């Protein structure tokens, strides 16, 4: 490639402003080509499961108005208190990079009048989310989630069906998850339970961590989920919400559990599943997987949020959903070796010898793609040897060679890479000739796993 002085200057790092080269931002992650099969696998399983159950895809923007999150997730939560990427843009609007998916979906439901559609509305999403959390294994500042939401129906069967779908997704991926369930009651019975919790913890206040001391007044539920060992010890004997639900919430929860029994999905009743966000009511659940050290890793979680939509629309609208972390799922798929990475052998390598043949070959590339073949090339190379080496390395099934002579004759050289046999074929016949041979070799286009490339 001929580089102008200007190109060279632009590419020369010495000419960049002083300081180190730009680097990946802390807590962010590149998803490299070698990761693609794992990401594709997760996405295709989720899309298939959600699609088959008639969940419709939805994509909401990454940027939303900050109050959307402060009002839905709750001011006293870790996410809102310390993890949101918020800024004021030039129009002086206070904006936030979305830290989770439900709030945006709910905003879209209200804003687009989806309440007028037959209820419930079933939606699924996939995309990046941002939390300025402390980066560690399986915890990033930009991460991806997929989520399923069912809006406009309060029946407990909705909760069980969401759990069933989540469980199916993990089974389909081959991940042995355990299901943890709990109920957080509703606005009618929660205050009495929170009072009980506060009484319990106030007596033991001296043993609480500073965060928990602070949270005791406004978010006592969150104390149950604190990771500090002393707080965990206290949580063991704390009163449990499932023993203090009012009759309506208890009945709702019992029905969810009965349905899970019917589905033969094993679960653990876990009072610590309080979720980190304020909007949850009644059923909450998480999918856990064991780490090598025996500690559980949360792959996903969700629950019911019957009061959330009312806060935005003024109209009582029950709903439930869950979200799962794609990075963590991919981590586990790799660790457990659950995705077979198969390199497909390209049908054709397109070689050319010189400027005029290169032009011809470039045009032929389009023709071959249109006919449905997978085609690779090394158009910028001149030497035939270098090109044949690449064809071998990529394990192409056939190589087409366009040279000066072939252009004059209106022909092309077709080489079977399996047996090395070369034939001259009419340029105009190259598509049917290739089709004939690929079919004879027993493969559809691009359907065969790669041969072992020649050394
Ligand atoms: P949450 O929205 O907190 O309920 O998270 C749902 C799922 O998203 C979790 O179970 C994790 O798998 C994943 N997740 C949440 N936060 C992060 C993060 N900072 N980095 C990677 N994955 C995350």
């Amino acid at each position: 490639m001929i580089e102008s002085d200007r190109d060279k200057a632009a590419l020369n790092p010495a000419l960049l402003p002083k300081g180190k080269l730009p680097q990946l931002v802390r807590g962010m992650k590149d998803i490299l080509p070698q990761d693609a099969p794992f990401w594709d696998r997760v996405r295709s399983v989720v899309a298939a499961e959600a699609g088959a159950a008639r969940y419709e895809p939805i994509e909401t923007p990454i940027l939303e108005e900050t109050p959307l999150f402060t009002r839905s997730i709750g001011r006293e939560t870790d996410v809102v208190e310390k993890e949101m990427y918020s800024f004021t843009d030039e129009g002086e609007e206070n904006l936030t990079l979305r830290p989770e998916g439900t709030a945006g979906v709910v905003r879209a439901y209200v804003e687009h009048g989806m309440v007028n559609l037959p209820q419930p509305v079933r939606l699924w999403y996939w995309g990046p989310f941002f939390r300025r959390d402390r980066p560690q294994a399986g915890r990033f500042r930009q991460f991806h989630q997929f989520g399923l939401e069912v809006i406009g129906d309060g029946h407990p069967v909705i909760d069980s069906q969401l759990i069933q779908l989540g469980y199916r997704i993990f089974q389909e991926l081959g991940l042995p998850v355990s299901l943890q369930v709990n109920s957080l009651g509703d606005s009618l019975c929660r205050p009495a339970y929170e009072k009980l919790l506060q009484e319990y913890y106030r007596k033991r206040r001296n043993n609480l961590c500073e965060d928990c001391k602070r949270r005791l007044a406004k978010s006592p539920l969150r104390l149950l989920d604190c990771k500090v060992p002393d707080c965990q010890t206290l949580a063991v004997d704390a009163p449990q919400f499932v023993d203090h639900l009012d009759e309506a919430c208890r009945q709702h929860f019992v029905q969810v559990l009965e349905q899970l029994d019917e589905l033969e999905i094993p679960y653990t009743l876990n009072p610590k599943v309080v979720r980190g966000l304020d909007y949850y009511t009644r059923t909450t659940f998480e999918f856990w997987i064991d780490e090598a050290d025996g500690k559980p890793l949360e792959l996903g979680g969700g629950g019911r949020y019957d009061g959330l939509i009312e806060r935005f629309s003024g109209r009582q609208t029950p709903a439930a959903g869950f979200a799962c972390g794609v990075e963590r799922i991919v981590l586990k798929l790799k660790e457990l070796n659950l995705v077979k990475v198969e390199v497909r052998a390209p049908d054709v390598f397109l070689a050319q010898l010189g400027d005029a043949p290169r032009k011809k070959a470039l045009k032929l590339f389009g023709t071959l793609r249109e006919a449905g073949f997978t085609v690779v090339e090394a158009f910028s190379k001149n030497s035939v040897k270098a090109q044949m080496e690449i064809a071998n390395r990529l394990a192409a099934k056939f190589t087409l060679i366009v040279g000066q002579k072939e252009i004059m004759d209106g022909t092309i050289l077709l080489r079977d890479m399996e047996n090395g046999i070369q034939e001259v074929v009419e340029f105009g016949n190259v598509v049917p000739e290739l089709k004939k041979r690929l079919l004879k070799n027993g493969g559809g286009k691009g359907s065969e796993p790669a041969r072992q490339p020649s050394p």
Side-chain angles (χ1 to χ4, degrees), residues 323-381:
C324 298
V326 184
E327 280 79 0
R328 292 190 190 177
I329 292 175
V330 165
L331 199 84
K332 282 286 153 190
L333 290 177
K334 283 185 180 172
E335 216 175 278
L336 302 173
N337 207 5
L338 288 170
V339 176
K340 222 170 115 217
V341 180
E342 213 173 63
V343 184
R344 300 269 168 197
D347 296 325
V348 186
F349 184 89
L350 199 44
Q352 41 66 41
L353 310 171
D355 283 344
R358 183 180 286 116
K359 276 191 199 139
K360 193 97 177 158
L362 183 59
K363 185 142 185 247
L364 183 57
F365 179 88
T367 312
L368 293 173
R369 284 297 304 123
E370 215 154 281
F373 300 113
T374 49
V375 193
V376 287
E377 43 65 40
F379 286 157
S380 64
K381 301 267 183 286

Side-chain angles (χ1 to χ4, degrees), residues 79 83 99-101 131 133-134 138-145 275-277 279-280 286-287 297-302 323-329:
V79 171
E83 295 173 5
E100 61 94 52
R131 292 183 196 169
D133 205 349
R134 200 163 56 82
R139 193 169 289 282
F140 304 98
R141 289 182 168 177
Q142 174 175 335
F143 57 97
H144 293 71
Q145 286 184 341
R275 316 288 298 136
L277 320 175
Y279 53 63
Y280 286 105
E286 289 177 358
F287 296 106
L297 176 73
E298 187 200 316
L299 293 186
C324 298
V326 184
E327 280 79 0
R328 292 190 190 177
I329 292 175

Side-chain angles (χ1 to χ4, degrees), residues 84-113:
M84 293 209 304
Y85 284 95
S86 300
F87 62 96
T88 307
D89 81 350
E90 282 185 24
E92 298 198 353
E93 240 175 330
N94 205 345
L95 302 178
T96 292
L97 296 181
R98 59 182 187 184
E100 61 94 52
T102 303
V105 170
V106 160
R107 180 199 47 71
Y109 173 92
V110 173
E111 209 164 326
H112 297 282

